[in-house]
Amino acid sequence: MSRRVTVVTAVHAPSARFLPEAYKSLCEQVLPDGWEWRWVIQEDGETDLVRPYIPDDVRVVFRQGRPGGPGVARTIALAHADGAYVKVLDADDQLPPGALHRDLAALEADPALGWATSRALDLLPDGTTAGFPGDPDDGPIERGAVLDFWAANDFRAQVHPATLCVRRELLVALGGWMALPASEDTGLLLALNAVSRGWFTEEVGLLYRKWDGQVTGQASHVDPAERAARMAVVEARARAMSAIGWRHPAAG
C-alpha cells in the first residue's frame, strides 16, 4: 500500500471559486517523512464551470459525473483513492498547517483507531473565525460515544464530520457516504464510531467556510420533515451496526 493520503473533495459550480484557497492550504501541509498527498476532486455534475479552477499539478485528479449530491460525488471519487487513508476536504474549506500530519500521526501510532477528527473553526465572511462549543478532550473517542452525544444534543455531534481522516479499507467497507440529500457525512461519522474507536485532536484541523451559497445554509437543509427523516435513517444505521457486532479492526 502506498504511503499516501488521498484528499477527496466534492465540488459543484458555485463553490468552485474556493478551490484555489483549498489547494493553497494543501500545498502548505508538511507530512511525515515518506508520505505524500493526492487530491481527487469530483464535480457533482458535468459543467464547464469547475475546470478553470483546477490546479495544474500532477498530484491533482479531476473527474466529473452526473449530479447526485456531495455524498455521491465523494463516494465515486473513491475509485481514484489509492492510498492508505482518505481525508475529507470540502471545496470551500481550508486545512490549517499541520492538519494532515496530526491525522496521520494519530492513525499510524495506533492500528486500532479507524478514523481521526480535529477541532474545526467557522471561517466567517469577514475573515475572522469562531469556535464550536463542546469539543471533547484530546485523545481517543470510544465506540458509541459520538452517537450517545448526538442523540442527547439535538442531533449535533461533538466532533465535525468535515474533519474526518479515515482508513481507506474501513471507509470502503462501510460503503462510503450515506445516500442522503444532506447529513451524509454525519451518517458516515456515526457509522464509523459504531464499529471503531476514533481520535480527536484539540488543535484546529479545519477552517469551515460560512458563505451564502453553501448547501447547509439553504432552507431545505433545515426543513423539519426532511431533517427528521435524515436523522432517523442516520441513527437507525448506526444502532443496527452496533447491534450486529462487526468491529474494526476485526478480532484475530
Side-chain angles (χ1 to χ4, degrees):
M1 180 73 72
S2 171
R3 291 177 68 81
R4 172 185 290 166
V5 54
T6 303
V7 181
V8 168
T9 296
V11 62
H12 66 332
S15 61
R17 62 190 173 98
F18 297 116
L19 285 172
E21 293 179 70
Y23 174 65
K24 180 177 182 292
S25 78
L26 262 177
C27 290
E28 292 173 349
Q29 300 298 307
V30 178
L31 301 188
D33 289 344
W35 284 86
E36 63 180 9
W37 57 259
R38 187 187 200 198
W39 193 17
V40 179
I41 304 170
Q42 180 74 34
E43 181 180 355
D44 183 35
E46 298 175 283
T47 73
D48 297 323
L49 301 175
V50 174
R51 190 177 295 275
Y53 296 96
I54 303 299
D56 182 14
D57 188 322
V58 296
R59 298 171 294 179
V60 178
V61 177
F62 175 57
R63 294 290 185 270
Q64 297 172 296
R66 54 179 171 168
V72 170
R74 291 190 206 103
T75 300
I76 201 71
L78 292 178
H80 309 285
D82 57 356
Y85 300 102
V86 174
K87 175 67 175 177
V88 181
L89 178 61
D90 288 348
D92 49 0
D93 294 342
Q94 299 172 36
L95 297 177
L100 281 180
H101 191 292
R102 291 188 289 270
D103 287 340
L104 292 173
L107 292 168
E108 285 286 286
D110 187 352
L113 297 175
W115 49 278
T117 57
S118 54
R119 187 174 184 227
L121 295 180
D122 277 343
L123 177 60
L124 304 177
D126 65 0
T128 61
T129 59
F132 295 85
D135 286 337
D137 294 333
D138 190 276
I141 300 176
E142 299 303 325
R143 283 191 300 103
V146 178
L147 175 59
D148 290 343
F149 185 97
W150 178 86
N153 289 272
D154 192 33
F155 308 131
R156 185 183 68 82
Q158 77 272 49
V159 295
H160 204 304
T163 68
L164 276 167
C165 187
V166 189
R167 295 188 188 275
R168 180 183 177 276
E169 76 275 8
L170 175 57
L171 180 58
V172 171
L174 292 176
W177 286 262
M178 290 189 75
L180 293 170
S183 307
E184 76 292 332
D185 53 357
T186 298
L188 172 61
L189 172 64
L190 266 63
L192 287 166
N193 185 230
V195 301
S196 68
R197 297 168 71 239
W199 185 268
F200 178 78
T201 298
E202 63 183 1
E203 293 182 68
V204 178
L206 183 73
L207 297 179
Y208 183 80
R209 188 187 302 273
K210 307 291 284 189
W211 59 289
D212 290 343
Q214 66 186 145
V215 174
T216 54
Q218 306 307 305
S220 58
H221 186 74
V222 293
D223 175 77
E226 184 190 286
R227 182 174 186 265
R230 294 198 317 262
M231 299 304 103
V233 174
V234 165
E235 182 171 1
R237 182 197 194 199
R239 295 198 183 283
M241 297 192 77
S242 294
I244 288 170
W246 181 70
R247 299 287 181 265
H248 180 275

